[in-house]
Amino acid sequence: MSTHHIEMSLNGLRCAGEVEARVSLADFLRDDAGYTGVHLGCEHGVCGACTVRVDGVAQRACLMLAVQVDGCAVQTIEGLAAETGGGSDSDTLGDLQAAFKRHHALQCGFCSAGILMSAADWLQRVPTPTEVQVREMLSGHLCRCTGYTPIVAAILEVAQARAEVHAANATKAAHV
Ligand code: FES
Ligand code: FES
């Protein structure tokens, strides 16, 4: 079986490997790279549990091949905290993760990593969303436990907190 050499930035670290062309990105991340925060539910692009970011954009890792991310920057839940105000290790929470914890936005947690990765990407593009917009974004993710309400509350709280920081920084800059 022929393999392909791939290289990527994975959670900020250089990662190289040899993969068969048919290996999914999700399997590569979990089995070869050891990032088991990438969860596999449906493996058909429906549940959203496997969502990671490729060059900043949320993607379903079960629908991509590992060879497709050659040369890309890939981020899993293990690398999210450092970008969102937490520590560089995966044990320190970023603002989205901390808000999920505060709002009890997870029960079994199976869906959580995927939702957090989608929210991280989406809030960059929709920084001040309405509740309806958050629920529309979440329509790409299945959660069997929470009823979604605490997840919506957590995402809205982070959006508001970030907007307040942004406004305060803009005011400060205007007075320099
Ligand atoms: Fe990828 Fe369900 S496991 S969308
Ligand atoms: Fe269990 Fe969402 S917290 S599936």
Side-chain angles (χ1 to χ4, degrees):
M1 192 78 62
S2 70
T3 59
H4 300 263
H5 181 77
I6 58 172
E7 291 189 22
M8 69 195 78
S9 164
L10 179 50
N11 293 329
L13 301 172
R14 179 181 171 275
C15 171
E18 305 294 323
V19 291
E20 293 175 17
R22 63 181 173 79
V23 172
S24 75
L25 176 58
D27 284 343
F28 174 78
L29 292 172
R30 287 178 57 83
D31 301 338
D32 293 6
Y35 287 105
T36 52
V38 181
H39 288 171
L40 274 173
C42 65
E43 299 191 57
H44 284 89
V46 176
C47 72
C50 64
T51 302
V52 299
R53 290 166 80 188
V54 177
D55 289 339
V57 179
Q59 304 278 4
R60 290 180 171 3
C62 70
L63 294 184
M64 290 189 79
L65 296 170
V67 291
Q68 288 180 280
V69 302
D70 185 25
C72 297
V74 178
Q75 185 186 53
T76 70
I77 188 66
E78 289 90 343
L80 180 64
E83 183 195 310
T84 52
S88 56
D89 60 277
S90 61
D91 292 332
T92 311
L93 301 181
D95 61 354
L96 270 167
Q97 291 155 304
F100 269 52
K101 188 176 174 191
R102 258 194 318 280
H103 285 271
H104 307 292
L106 64 153
Q107 289 177 32
C108 78
F110 193 81
C111 67
S112 307
I115 291 175
L116 285 161
M117 299 310 288
S118 280
D121 168 28
W122 186 73
L123 284 174
Q124 305 276 342
R125 289 176 283 112
V126 189
T128 53
T130 64
E131 178 177 340
V132 170
Q133 287 175 308
V134 173
R135 287 185 180 278
E136 280 171 1
M137 184 275 288
L138 288 172
S139 67
H141 290 268
L142 298 180
C143 175
R144 296 187 300 181
C145 306
T146 63
Y148 299 95
T149 298
I151 298 174
V152 173
I155 293 171
L156 285 172
E157 182 186 271
V158 168
Q160 187 177 347
R162 289 182 182 181
E164 286 169 7
V165 169
H166 184 73
N169 288 341
T171 305
K172 254 189 242 162
H175 288 88
V176 170

